[in-house]
Structures are given as C-alpha cells and as structure tokens.
Amino acid sequence: RGDALSLPFPDDTFDVTTIAFGLRNLENLDAGLQEFLRILKPGGRLGVLEFTHADSAVLQKMHYLYQNILLPKIGDLVSGTKAYSYLNDSIAEWPDSPELARIMKKNGFQQVRYSLLHMRNAALHIGECPAKPNGANG
C-alpha cells in the first residue's frame, strides 16, 4: 500500500517493478512513471499491464459490448454497487499502446516494447531503466 507518486523506497532499489490495471488511475501519469524509474536500478525493468484500444473494427465492437454492457453488469453483481461504472470512461480516455510506449520513452524509459493480449484489448508494456546520471548506478 502507498502512494504510487511517492513510493517509500530509496532510489535504485528494484530490478523489476510492475503495475497492473492501475497506471491509468494515477493522478499524474508522467509523475508516476518517473517515480517508477527512480526506484529502479539501472537496467531494471518496469512492466505495465493495462487496457488498450483494439485496432480492428470487429474487435472494437466486441470490446464495446463487453466494456459497456457485460462488464458493468458483472461489476454491479459482484460489488453490489455501481463501483465499476468509471471503468469505461477511464479506458476510453487512456492512450493506445503506441502512445503509451511514446509516453514511457518521454519519461526516460529505454527499449520500450509491448505485446497485445486478451483479444488485443490489453497490453503488456516493458521499459528499461537507463544508466543514472553522475555515475550513480545503485
């Protein structure tokens, strides 16, 4: 538990850091990515599992039906509330995979790549932490 924009770890602590379906919920995407970069050792990797936008009309239609009809009903049944109603808007506003890769690079990650998963509705992005300035290598 903690604030992803102010993680309670020293610089250069981890070889790997991951976040699943949470990056899109951060108040400030750039600040969150920079914080993950801060706690990674040089050569360390960040793994981001997040929703993405389908790149075909057929898959877009299927995803729309799933996200706008089926998922909210399942969420309502499981939680007993409308807790999942925000999900559709947050996914619609989220960048697609190539754009998220660009944002990760802009925030200092290198060798950023991604793989599309789950009928191209989710993606796993991997980015590597470069050598730190001033010879600080953790």
Side-chain angles (χ1 to χ4, degrees):
R1 280 200 206 152
D3 182 352
L5 302 180
S6 181
L7 295 168
F9 306 107
D11 295 356
D12 307 328
T13 299
F14 298 101
D15 294 314
V16 175
T17 302
T18 64
I19 186 167
F21 303 108
L23 195 64
R24 118 188 96 74
N25 296 319
L26 297 184
E27 186 175 306
N28 184 318
L29 175 58
D30 292 329
L33 289 170
Q34 291 166 19
E35 185 67 356
F36 293 135
L37 195 64
R38 179 188 69 77
I39 65 168
L40 281 170
K41 295 177 184 176
R45 293 182 179 158
L46 169 66
V48 176
L49 179 62
E50 202 41 273
F51 290 106
T52 192
H53 303 280
D55 54 2
S56 82
V58 171
L59 289 176
Q60 286 175 2
K61 184 70 168 176
M62 289 173 60
H63 294 164
Y64 176 85
L65 293 172
Y66 173 73
Q67 290 172 349
N68 292 287
I69 296 170
L70 186 59
L71 188 60
K73 288 181 190 268
I74 293 170
D76 293 351
L77 286 172
V78 171
S79 70
T81 68
K82 300 283 184 194
Y84 290 87
S85 61
Y86 80 95
L87 197 57
N88 297 329
D89 292 338
S90 71
I91 294 169
E93 295 170 7
W94 185 247
D96 64 11
S97 294
E99 178 64 9
L100 181 56
R102 188 195 67 72
I103 293 168
M104 289 175 68
K105 289 175 188 174
K106 176 189 83 169
N107 281 285
F109 286 92
Q110 297 179 341
Q111 297 183 14
V112 176
R113 58 222 180 258
Y114 61 89
S115 299
L116 298 174
L117 309 167
H118 189 260
M119 294 178 54
R120 306 176 78 82
N121 194 38
L124 175 62
H125 285 71
I126 305 289
E128 294 185 14
C129 179
K132 304 285 174 115
N134 301 326
N137 289 324

